[in-house]
């Protein structure tokens, strides 16, 4: 456990004028309130806030931030109140503590909504004072370091949230060491077998690799020294998660990754950086397409470096980063390297406005997007994606998420430009609207006042801004069509009972039915019927008395009711739709849910309800209004097909072992596709029938324990890569 004096010494070292008494007072207060509380590890609870404060001191934050780190859990986990914190420690500290306090006292429909609302609150707080997110990052880092003591389910949930939200936030703020550690810790808990296999594999050649690193560092230092440069040279293995991510994206083994080693050269000035680059390229042949100049065009978090990959000694590919000492400081510490505060947390230097354009965008989204799932998906898609840098015809640089298209660029310029976009030119040549933008492209879009967004655009645009704007237009058109259809269905059905839809609306009965069914007004209920989310029979039961409805045998069924009965009958899917079992259900091919997965449903006109895994990216191509609550009906045992990709070495007996493992788990293989890949490896795709998620996890763990198996992962069904 870090001691109070250790924290005070750290703070004094970088800020001799800091208010150390504030930190001492916070420690005494926090220790008293947390007395008797213990963590899952059995340690006194005060250990956690003290470790958080120590991390904040490592980031060289002010005394108010460090004190807030010591106090960050007292409102949530003790009887302390926000008003009491403000009275004792002042408004500044109280605001910081409130900004990182979880919303555990509020009631939410599910964990996803709670995560979203907690993040919304944090966005608002950090927009006023960036120190809020720095405290939260340190809190999460310490929690991740001690995650082993949590239940397996909690470890998975917290690690996934960290990978989705907090590691990318650290990257946006430019704090690379926090980002790297959060990613590696999340990787260890999300994919424990793959993590350990990678650790073991890298350990096999660690001494040989270190000799190579020493050789390259010596060569670089000598060459640059001969040219009157005084470099600081470092060499390292890339961090585990970045290696694993490349293995998965390229479907290769660690031995096939050529640029696994990275070197960093730190110099005194920008001209020296470019001079060093020339000297490196004169020694070793550069790999075409692998040079990036982030000095001339910094990343959004103001990261600056020259990146190049060369064919180094013994034909080994090596990645080299070249930067100044100031750039290195910003790359490691990010915003914490030079952020300064006046009284009340105001920013002294306004030159960093571009750095926080993404934060202003977050603020806009948290106001505009009311659906929690859509808000979080927007954050994940746009804020935390890799970037591509393109130029406007005037030479201005525009940063977009990797994979963006001309449509994304058009919506970035203006909503109307996107809505009326008809074509695009890249570097003077006409390209399809599906074209994926590349770094350095100069893009020009053409528009027409008669053009409208197409729903097909949703299948290839990358930014959530573009998706939201396209959906808004498509949604309005669908609402108009659904209203017409809803009126037609209701008028036809109500006539059978001698009633008129317009009279029921004017008399107020229809509005009452809408509220009883959870909708705000008559219009929404009519549209809901057109969408297929509610049936006329549901509405009739609310509006008409039982005697007027008659017995079920005597009431004439509507066409829609007949269709549902004819197509669906009794549900054999194992899924309940808002407590009803007799609705047509289909499973999305894009994510192929199985019992145990968190699921959500969407009304699909003509096909009943389509069920997706809750975090399936295709979910957010649908309007929130079409979402329905779905749940697995545990009474109905169903077998769902899933596809497993098993990566192995290529040697006799491996396939037999895999087949035996499936048999021992009583799992049937319905389809198999096996092929040898480069590097003496083999890839096997199996379509199998699975009862539930627990059986799948047990099966995957058994496969990972087999000799010769290097990776096992769940993928899209064979031959079914698309959506519904």
């Amino acid at each position: 456990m870090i001691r109070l004096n250790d924290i005070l010494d750290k703070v004094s070292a970088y800020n001799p004028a800091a208010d150390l008494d504030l930190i001492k007072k916070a420690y005494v207060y926090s220790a008293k309130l947390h007395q008797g509380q213990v963590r899952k590890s059995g340690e006194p609870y005060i250990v956690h806030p003290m470790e958080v404060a120590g991390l904040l001191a490592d980031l060289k934050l002010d005394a108010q931030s460090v004190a807030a780190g010591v106090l960050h859990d007292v409102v949530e986990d003790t009887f302390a109140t926000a008003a009491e914190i403000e009275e004792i420690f002042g408004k500044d500290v109280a605001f910081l503590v409130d900004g990182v306090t979880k919303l555990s006292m509020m009631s939410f429909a599910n964990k996803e909504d709670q995560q979203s609302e907690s993040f919304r609150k944090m966005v608002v707080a950090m927009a006023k004072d960036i120190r809020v997110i720095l405290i939260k990052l340190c809190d999460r880092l310490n929690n991740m370091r001690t995650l082993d003591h949590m239940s397996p389910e909690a470890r998975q949930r917290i690690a996934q949230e960290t990978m989705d939200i907090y590691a990318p936030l650290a990257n946006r703020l430019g704090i690379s060491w926090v980002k790297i550690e959060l990613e590696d810790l999340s990787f260890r808990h999300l994919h424990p077998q793959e993590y350990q296999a990678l650790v073991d594999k890298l350990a096999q050649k660690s001494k040989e690799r270190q000799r190579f690193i020493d050789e390259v560092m010596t060569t670089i230092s000598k060459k640059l020294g001969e040219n009157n440069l005084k470099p600081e040279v470092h060499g390292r293995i890339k961090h585990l998660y970045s290696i694993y991510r490349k293995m998965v994206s390229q479907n290769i083994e660690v031995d096939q990754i050529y640029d696994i080693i990275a070197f960093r050269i730190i110099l005194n000035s920008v001209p020296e950086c470019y001079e060093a680059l020339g000297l490196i390229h004169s020694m070793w042949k550069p790999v075409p397409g692998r040079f990036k100049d982030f000095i001339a065009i910094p990343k959004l978090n103001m990261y600056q470096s020259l990146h190049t990959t060369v064919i180094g000694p013994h034909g080994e590919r090596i990645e080299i980063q070249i930067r100044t000492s100031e750039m290195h400081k910003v790359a490691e510490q990010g915003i914490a390297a030079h952020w300064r505060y006046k009284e009340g947390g105001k920013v002294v230097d306004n030159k960093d406005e571009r750095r926080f354009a993404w934060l202003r965008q977050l603020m806009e989204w948290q106001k505009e997007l009311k659906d929690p799932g859509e808000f979080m998906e927007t954050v994940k898609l746009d804020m935390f994606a890799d970037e591509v840098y393109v130029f406007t015809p005037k030479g201005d640089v525009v940063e977009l998420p990797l994979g963006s298209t001309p449509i994304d660029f058009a919506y970035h310029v203006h909503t109307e430009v996107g809505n009326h976009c008809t074509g695009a030119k890249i570097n003077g040549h006409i390209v399809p609207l599906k074209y994926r933008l590349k770094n350095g492209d100069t893009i020009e879009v053409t528009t027409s006042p008669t053009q409208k967004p197409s729903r097909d655009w949703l299948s290839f645009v990358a930014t959530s801004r573009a998706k939201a704007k396209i959906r808004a237009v498509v949604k309005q058109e669908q609402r108009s069509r659904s209203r017409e259809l809803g009126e037609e269905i209701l008028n036809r059905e109500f006539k059978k009972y001698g009633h008129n839809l317009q009279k029921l609306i004017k008399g107020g009965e229809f509005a009452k039915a809408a509220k009883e069914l959870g909708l705000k007004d008559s219009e929404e209920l009519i549209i809901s019927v057109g969408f297929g989310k509610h049936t006329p029979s549901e509405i009739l039961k609310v509006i008409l008395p039982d005697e007027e409805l008659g017995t079920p045998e005597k009431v004439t069924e509507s066409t829609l009711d007949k269709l549902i009965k004819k197509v669906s009958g009794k549900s054999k899917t194992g899924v309940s739709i808002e407590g009803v079992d007799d609705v047509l259900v289909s499973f999305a091919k894009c994510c192929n849910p199985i019992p145990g997965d968190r699921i959500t449903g969407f009304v699909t006109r003509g096909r009943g309800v389509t069920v997706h895994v809750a975090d399936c990216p295709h979910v957010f191509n649908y309007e929130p209004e079409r979402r329905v609550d779905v749940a697995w009906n545990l009474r109905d045992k169903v077998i769902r097909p899933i596809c497993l990709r098993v990566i192995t070495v290529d040697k006799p007996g491996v396939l037999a072992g895999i087949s035996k493992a499936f048999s021992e788990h009583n799992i049937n293989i319905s389809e198999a596709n096996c092929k040898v890949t480069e590097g003496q490896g083999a890839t096997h795709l199996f379509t199998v029938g699975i009862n539930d998620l627990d059986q799948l996890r047990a099966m995957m763990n058994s496969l990972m324990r087999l000799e010769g198996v290097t990776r096992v992962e769940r993928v899209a069904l064979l031959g079914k890569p698309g959506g519904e």
Side-chain angles (χ1 to χ4, degrees):
M1 170 184 169
I2 191 169
R3 300 175 305 162
L4 175 62
N5 286 339
D6 296 330
I7 296 172
L8 297 176
D9 289 343
K10 284 184 180 183
V11 175
S12 297
Y14 62 81
N15 185 5
D19 185 358
L20 300 183
D21 287 338
L22 182 69
I23 300 172
K24 293 176 185 176
K25 185 164 62 171
Y27 168 72
V28 172
Y29 183 83
S30 183
K32 181 179 178 181
L33 288 173
H34 287 303
Q35 189 172 10
Q37 294 180 345
V38 294
R39 304 192 78 196
K40 296 281 187 182
S41 62
E43 294 178 312
Y45 194 90
I46 189 63
V47 171
H48 169 62
M50 290 299 286
E51 291 289 348
V52 171
L55 289 168
L56 291 165
D58 289 337
L59 289 175
K60 298 181 172 58
L61 293 194
D62 56 2
Q64 286 81 5
S65 301
V66 177
V70 177
L71 297 166
H72 78 274
D73 273 339
V74 294
V75 174
E76 181 184 345
D77 293 333
T78 75
F79 294 111
T81 64
E84 189 174 297
I85 298 296
E86 182 174 338
E87 182 181 346
I88 298 173
F89 300 97
K91 287 185 178 180
D92 201 20
V93 172
F95 176 81
L96 295 175
V97 171
D98 182 64
V100 295
T101 298
K102 299 190 189 82
L103 303 183
S104 56
M105 306 300 287
M106 295 181 68
S107 176
F108 295 98
N110 52 51
K111 280 284 184 185
E112 289 69 41
D113 286 359
Q114 183 171 13
Q115 180 197 55
S116 173
E117 293 308 314
S118 296
F119 190 68
R120 281 182 194 271
K121 181 180 180 183
M122 197 164 60
V123 165
V124 174
M126 72 182 182
K128 296 179 181 176
D129 194 326
I130 202 68
R131 291 174 295 177
V132 168
I133 192 56
L134 297 177
I135 297 169
K136 186 63 181 178
L137 283 174
C138 292
D139 173 42
R140 180 50 61 107
L141 179 55
N142 183 250
N143 282 331
M144 288 299 296
R145 288 175 175 178
T146 57
L147 201 58
D148 287 316
H149 302 285
M150 304 292 285
S151 68
E153 294 77 14
R155 289 202 300 268
Q156 283 276 324
R157 175 178 54 80
I158 294 169
Q160 190 64 60
E161 183 183 69
T162 300
M163 189 71 86
D164 289 344
I165 300 297
Y166 293 100
L169 265 176
N171 182 52
R172 274 294 186 185
L173 293 166
I175 313 172
S176 63
W177 69 271
V178 173
K179 175 239 183 189
I180 287 170
E181 188 172 353
L182 287 175
E183 284 184 341
D184 283 351
L185 288 169
S186 299
F187 172 36
R188 183 163 75 87
H189 291 288
L190 290 172
H191 306 285
Q193 288 90 4
E194 292 89 336
Y195 176 89
Q196 193 56 51
L198 184 55
V199 169
D200 295 342
K201 192 76 173 177
L202 291 174
Q204 292 174 7
K205 297 182 179 180
S206 60
K207 291 182 180 179
E208 178 184 332
R209 209 172 280 116
Q210 189 57 52
R211 285 195 295 270
F212 178 77
I213 289 173
D214 293 340
E215 177 187 348
V216 172
M217 287 171 58
T218 300
T219 304
I220 291 174
S221 297
K222 182 180 178 182
K223 181 70 174 180
L224 269 57
E226 289 171 354
N227 288 270
N228 300 317
L229 297 176
K230 296 179 180 178
E232 184 181 330
V233 185
H234 303 278
R236 60 178 175 82
I237 304 294
K238 290 184 176 179
H239 72 284
L240 291 171
Y241 181 65
S242 69
I243 296 173
Y244 173 73
R245 188 168 54 187
K246 182 170 285 190
M247 289 168 59
V248 171
S249 65
Q250 298 182 13
N251 193 23
I252 56 177
E253 296 306 307
V254 64
D255 293 334
Q256 298 171 277
I257 299 178
Y258 299 112
D259 53 350
I260 201 170
I261 299 173
F263 294 87
R264 185 173 296 139
I265 303 171
I266 301 172
L267 295 154
N268 294 320
S269 67
V270 171
E272 287 186 357
C273 291
Y274 286 101
E275 184 180 352
L277 177 70
L279 293 170
I280 294 296
H281 285 178
S282 70
M283 280 197 300
W284 296 310
K285 185 178 179 181
V287 177
R290 295 301 303 272
F291 169 67
K292 295 178 182 177
D293 189 343
F294 293 119
I295 291 180
I297 305 177
K299 290 189 177 184
L300 193 62
N301 61 13
M302 300 311 290
Y303 171 90
Q304 290 182 284
S305 270
L306 299 174
H307 288 198
T308 187
T309 300
V310 298
I311 307 298
H314 317 298
E316 291 279 346
R317 282 194 185 195
I318 53 176
E319 181 182 292
I320 299 175
Q321 301 170 357
I322 308 170
R323 62 180 69 148
T324 67
S325 54
E326 180 59 31
M327 291 173 190
H328 180 63
K329 183 180 178 185
V330 171
E332 290 298 301
Q333 299 293 321
I335 191 57
H338 60 95
W339 200 255
R340 297 293 181 266
Y341 295 89
K342 291 180 180 177
E343 186 178 350
K346 300 295 183 183
V347 183
V348 172
D349 192 349
N350 290 324
K351 70 180 181 181
D352 293 310
E353 186 174 349
R354 178 175 175 267
R355 179 193 293 264
F356 292 104
W358 63 274
L359 187 51
R360 290 196 302 276
Q361 183 68 74
L362 270 184
M363 282 294 292
E364 290 177 19
W365 283 336
Q366 73 88 22
K367 292 174 184 174
E368 292 175 3
L369 303 175
K370 302 305 180 186
D371 179 72
E374 189 176 8
F375 171 64
M376 289 307 291
E377 186 64 16
T378 295
V379 170
K380 294 174 189 177
L381 277 178
D382 280 11
M383 286 294 94
F384 306 142
D386 291 331
E387 304 91 5
V388 61
Y389 297 88
V390 297
F391 294 94
T392 68
K394 293 182 179 179
D396 296 328
V397 178
V398 173
E399 181 186 36
L400 294 166
L402 192 64
S404 291
T405 66
I407 295 290
D408 295 290
F409 173 83
Y411 277 107
H412 176 86
V413 173
H414 194 277
T415 299
E416 289 305 305
V417 176
N419 284 343
H420 301 296
C421 180
T422 56
K425 287 184 179 180
I426 299 294
N427 306 322
H429 300 287
I430 296 173
V431 297
L433 292 177
K434 291 182 179 180
Y435 173 85
R436 300 294 175 185
L437 300 175
K438 298 181 178 65
N439 278 317
D441 280 346
T442 297
I443 177 170
E444 180 181 0
V445 296
T446 56
T447 61
S448 167
T450 59
Q451 174 71 10
K452 288 184 179 181
S454 165
R455 186 177 182 83
D456 293 339
W457 290 2
L458 290 170
S459 65
F460 59 80
V461 295
T463 61
S464 56
R465 175 180 175 82
K467 287 185 178 182
K469 299 300 181 183
I470 295 165
R471 278 200 302 265
V473 176
V474 173
K475 174 183 170 183
Q476 190 55 48
E477 292 178 352
Q478 284 188 334
R479 282 175 65 85
S480 297
R481 290 198 299 268
S482 294
R483 195 186 193 292
E484 292 174 9
L485 180 61
E487 281 188 353
E488 182 183 338
I489 293 171
L490 288 167
N491 273 320
R492 187 170 61 242
E493 196 68 15
F494 285 179
K495 280 180 183 177
K496 296 175 183 177
Y497 294 89
H499 287 277
N500 179 277
L501 174 62
Q502 295 305 320
K503 286 184 179 179
L504 289 172
I505 292 174
K506 290 178 181 178
E509 292 95 336
F510 205 78
K512 290 178 183 177
K515 289 183 180 178
E516 192 163 330
L517 291 170
L519 299 169
K520 69 176 183 179
D521 55 32
S522 299
E523 171 127 349
E524 291 301 317
L525 184 51
I526 295 171
I527 291 170
S528 178
V529 171
F531 265 135
K533 198 169 181 179
H534 288 95
T535 63
S537 57
E538 287 180 85
I539 302 168
L540 284 166
K541 287 176 184 176
V542 176
I543 293 177
L544 301 182
D546 292 341
E547 59 270 17
E548 195 170 335
L549 278 172
T551 59
E553 291 78 15
K554 294 180 181 178
V555 175
T556 305
E557 289 185 323
S558 70
T559 305
L560 182 60
D561 289 337
K562 286 179 180 178
L563 180 62
I564 289 175
K565 284 193 174 183
K566 180 179 179 181
V567 178
S568 64
K570 180 161 176 59
S571 171
K572 294 183 176 64
T573 60
V575 172
S576 297
I577 312 299
E578 294 183 329
V580 179
D581 290 329
D582 61 347
V583 174
L584 176 63
V585 173
S586 60
F587 292 94
K589 297 172 185 175
C590 50
C591 54
N592 191 40
I594 62 174
D597 284 327
R598 292 184 300 105
I599 53 176
T600 189
F602 283 84
V603 173
T604 309
R605 190 180 295 117
R607 282 182 286 174
V609 172
T610 303
V611 179
H612 289 259
V613 173
D615 56 0
C616 171
H618 289 91
V619 159
F620 299 96
N621 289 339
Y622 302 107
E623 297 80 14
E625 291 87 347
R626 292 171 58 190
R627 193 192 305 263
V628 292
D629 292 332
V630 297
W632 293 107
N633 187 342
L634 300 180
R635 297 169 301 171
D636 301 333
K637 293 294 183 183
V638 295
I639 295 178
R640 295 280 303 134
I642 64 103
C643 185
L644 285 178
R645 179 190 288 136
V646 184
I647 309 296
T648 71
V649 297
D650 180 28
K651 68 177 185 179
V654 172
L655 191 56
I658 294 172
S659 179
K660 183 181 178 183
F662 280 122
S663 179
E664 288 174 348
H665 282 268
N666 198 29
I667 293 174
N668 183 52
I669 301 173
S670 60
E671 188 175 350
N673 187 340
C674 307
K675 65 178 181 179
V676 177
T677 56
E678 293 182 12
Q680 303 303 309
T683 299
H684 313 269
L685 293 173
F686 299 99
T687 301
V688 298
I690 293 291
N691 291 322
D692 55 37
L693 195 58
D694 289 339
Q695 186 187 33
L696 175 61
R697 285 173 177 164
M699 182 69 252
M700 293 176 71
N701 288 336
S702 294
L703 290 174
M704 275 304 299
R705 288 194 289 268
L706 294 177
E707 184 180 353
V709 173
T710 57
R711 190 159 78 248
V712 180
E713 55 193 351
R714 179 179 172 185
V715 295
L717 281 172
L718 289 172
K720 297 178 181 179
E724 295 177 0

